[in-house]
Amino acid sequence: MELQSLPVNFLPIIIQMLVAIGFVVTTMFFTHKLGPKRHTKDKLTPFESGIEVVGNARTPVSIKYFLVAILFVLFDVEVIFMYPWAVNFKQMGVGGLVEMLIFMATLLLGFIYILKKGALDWD
């Protein structure tokens, strides 16, 4: 039997999206209109992560910061590939287990490599 994708099948998804968007818009509107509006000198000064702003925003940032961020995203995305495997673990059997062990060994080798290269050291 062939499954057909009809527009009616997407109605629950569309309703959920409309409810989510409506909730966000309503919440933002009411918090903006009902919230306190006290503009003080302290509130109007730039503030970043609990640290007072020093210097210009155009100062160069260490490449280590971006390298760590990219490595985090890389390993995070690779870990996401483990979820479908975990869901289908029983159907994949021993072959799936061996493939995942190879995948995880490759990840471990990559992680050891970046540790040996000093990519995560903050000198």
Side-chain angles (χ1 to χ4, degrees), residues 27-98:
T27 304
M28 288 179 67
F29 174 76
F30 281 115
T31 55
H32 180 71
K33 291 297 180 188
L34 299 176
K37 295 170 183 58
R38 285 175 251 144
H39 300 289
T40 63
K41 183 182 177 200
D42 288 335
K43 284 188 177 184
L44 296 176
T45 58
F47 186 73
E48 184 70 34
S49 302
I51 301 170
E52 291 292 329
V53 177
V54 178
N56 189 354
R58 303 289 179 240
T59 56
V61 178
S62 174
I63 193 71
K64 292 277 188 181
Y65 174 79
F66 298 106
L67 182 62
V68 169
I70 289 171
L71 288 173
F72 172 76
V73 170
L74 176 73
F75 280 101
D76 194 43
V77 168
E78 288 174 346
V79 167
I80 290 172
F81 288 131
M82 292 181 190
Y83 286 109
W85 169 77
V87 170
N88 297 317
F89 178 71
K90 289 184 180 180
Q91 290 97 5
M92 297 177 92
V94 176
L97 178 64
V98 170

Side-chain angles (χ1 to χ4, degrees), residues 97-109:
L97 178 64
V98 170
E99 289 174 1
M100 186 51 68
L101 288 175
I102 292 170
F103 178 71
M104 291 173 68
T106 307
L107 279 180
L108 183 63
L109 286 174

Side-chain angles (χ1 to χ4, degrees), residues 2-42:
E2 186 177 316
L3 296 176
Q4 292 184 358
S5 181
L6 301 173
V8 161
N9 297 342
F10 295 102
L11 190 60
I13 296 171
I14 293 170
I15 291 172
Q16 183 178 7
M17 288 176 59
L18 290 175
V19 168
I21 291 170
F23 176 75
V24 169
V25 169
T26 304
T27 304
M28 288 179 67
F29 174 76
F30 281 115
T31 55
H32 180 71
K33 291 297 180 188
L34 299 176
K37 295 170 183 58
R38 285 175 251 144
H39 300 289
T40 63
K41 183 182 177 200
D42 288 335

